[in-house]
Amino acid sequence: MSREQTGIKKELIIKNIFRVKEIGIMIPTILLIIIVQMVNPLFLTKLNVLSILRSSGYMLIPALGMTLILISGGLDLSVGSVYGLGGVVTAYCLTNGLPIVPSVLLGLLSGMACGILNGVVIVKLKIPPIMMTLGMYYMARGLVYVITQGTPIFPLPEAFKAIEQRNIILGIPTAVVCAMILAAVFFIIMRYTVYGRKIYAIGGNIETARVAGINIDAIMISLYAIIGTLSALDGVLMSSRLGSGQPSAGTGYELQVIAAVVIGGTSTYGGKGTLAGTVIGVIFMNILSSSMTIMKISAYWQNFVIGAALVVAVIIDQIKRSKTAED
């Protein structure tokens, strides 16, 4: 191969790399890792990497559902409360003598029920998603406090606590394994199925989707059911890890999940986004949080930085949208 051909090949490789949709978040993530490691060599230790992976696993589970919701043009602000509800329902059942499997299923069903209710009210009564899910945010959190009376539910069976307290498969935490499996499943659904294409179509142009014969109501209800179930699953796993059902679990979690998804490149206007971008966005968020903790930056400033990152991501999304409209 001549020097000229080699040069052309390298140029094509570079162009293809920069055509990758997730490149916008991949580069900052890599740079952040390099910079933090240079500042503090403890950052990439096995213990800290494992901690980042575990936190990312927890965040990714509901973030997958949030990605689908945002792509479809919807929104769910009840994630954190449903997360808490799933955990305390499971813990309540366990402490009242119910076996592990039925208890976990009831915890998941509580999340699914919240999601279905969100979806039905939004599509049938035409209530804006932000209003309905905000109402669910308070209703689910209210149920959490009704069940717990404001105090943790414990003790939980050792077999249940072992689900998340003991690492499985090459030392990888259960939450990470669940997140990886779910990410692979939803990637296949969104990339290779009619259902996935319909979600993009609804978010891209809902009227066109309706004319094309897509059952918008059924798909939207199913999406809210999915994110409700995933949020509850997160709560179940956290209850296993903590060994108790905590009434405050998941408080404010929905904002972190939305931030990770938007930073990962999913448009707040619907129709655009990838699960790969969400995975990177979640990792970026947890690396950012971990790096600030290691550098002993105040928790107040950490919230500021995460909020600023979200604002920047939304501004970039708006700029891209404006350019697309002009073209």
Side-chain angles (χ1 to χ4, degrees):
M1 185 180 292
S2 66
R3 185 176 298 177
E4 184 179 349
Q5 289 175 321
T6 303
I8 292 172
K9 188 175 180 180
K10 287 181 179 179
E11 186 178 342
L12 287 172
I13 292 172
I14 293 171
K15 284 183 178 180
N16 287 330
I17 289 173
F18 281 92
R19 283 176 185 166
V20 175
K21 293 180 181 179
E22 296 79 19
I23 194 68
I25 186 62
M26 286 174 64
I27 292 176
T29 302
I30 294 170
L31 289 175
L32 180 62
I33 293 171
I34 294 172
I35 292 170
V36 178
Q37 178 63 18
M38 289 174 64
V39 173
N40 192 328
L42 295 176
F43 179 68
L44 289 180
T45 59
K46 182 179 178 180
L47 186 62
N48 194 52
V49 170
L50 188 62
S51 176
I52 292 172
L53 284 176
R54 174 171 259 153
S55 299
S56 298
Y58 276 106
M59 187 178 288
L60 181 58
I61 291 173
L64 294 170
M66 187 65 76
T67 304
L68 271 59
I69 288 289
L70 288 179
I71 289 174
S72 71
L75 180 67
D76 192 345
L77 296 178
S78 64
V79 168
S81 296
V82 176
Y83 169 113
L85 183 62
V88 300
V89 166
T90 301
Y92 179 83
C93 293
L94 288 168
T95 54
N96 281 274
L98 210 61
I100 293 175
V101 173
S103 297
V104 170
L105 288 176
L106 285 172
L108 297 180
L109 285 172
S110 70
M112 182 184 292
C114 291
I116 291 173
L117 182 57
N118 276 336
V120 169
V121 173
I122 288 168
V123 303
K124 297 299 183 183
L125 301 182
K126 309 302 179 185
I127 303 298
I130 189 171
M131 297 308 299
M132 178 57 209
T133 58
L134 184 60
M136 181 58 71
Y137 167 91
Y138 286 104
M139 288 190 290
R141 185 59 63 183
L143 287 175
V144 168
Y145 283 109
V146 167
I147 294 170
T148 63
Q149 294 297 301
T151 59
I153 298 176
F154 68 95
L156 302 184
E158 291 299 322
F160 175 73
K161 291 192 289 185
I163 293 173
E164 174 54 16
Q165 289 182 359
R166 296 177 186 173
N167 295 336
I168 63 169
I169 308 178
L170 301 177
I172 301 175
T174 306
V176 178
V177 174
C178 288
M180 291 168 62
I181 293 171
L182 288 167
V185 170
F186 283 113
F187 175 81
I188 292 170
I189 289 172
M190 295 300 288
R191 187 76 176 266
Y192 300 107
T193 70
V194 174
Y195 180 75
R197 290 193 289 272
K198 286 179 178 178
I199 294 171
Y200 277 106
I202 292 170
N205 192 316
I206 193 168
E207 293 305 322
T208 302
R210 184 174 284 110
V211 171
I214 295 174
N215 190 337
I216 296 170
D217 289 2
I219 289 177
M220 292 306 297
I221 291 172
S222 71
L223 291 177
Y224 281 102
I226 287 171
I227 192 170
T229 306
L230 292 177
S231 299
L233 172 61
D234 228 23
V236 171
L237 290 171
M238 182 55 75
S239 289
S240 172
R241 181 181 178 186
L242 299 176
S244 63
Q246 294 290 334
S248 61
T251 302
Y253 202 52
E254 56 283 326
L255 299 180
Q256 296 180 44
V257 171
I258 292 171
V261 174
V262 174
I263 288 171
T266 298
S267 174
T268 54
Y269 294 95
K272 293 182 180 178
T274 66
L275 291 171
T278 292
V279 172
I280 300 171
V282 166
I283 293 172
F284 175 83
M285 284 279 290
N286 284 280
I287 288 174
L288 185 63
S289 178
S290 176
S291 63
M292 288 189 289
T293 300
I294 285 179
M295 291 188 286
K296 298 181 180 179
I297 296 174
S298 167
Y300 304 119
W301 279 109
Q302 290 183 31
N303 290 333
F304 175 84
V305 171
I306 291 171
L310 175 59
V311 171
V312 170
V314 172
I315 291 172
I316 292 172
D317 178 37
Q318 179 61 35
I319 293 171
K320 287 180 179 178
R321 182 179 171 83
S322 298
K323 286 184 178 180
T324 303
E326 290 174 3
D327 295 339

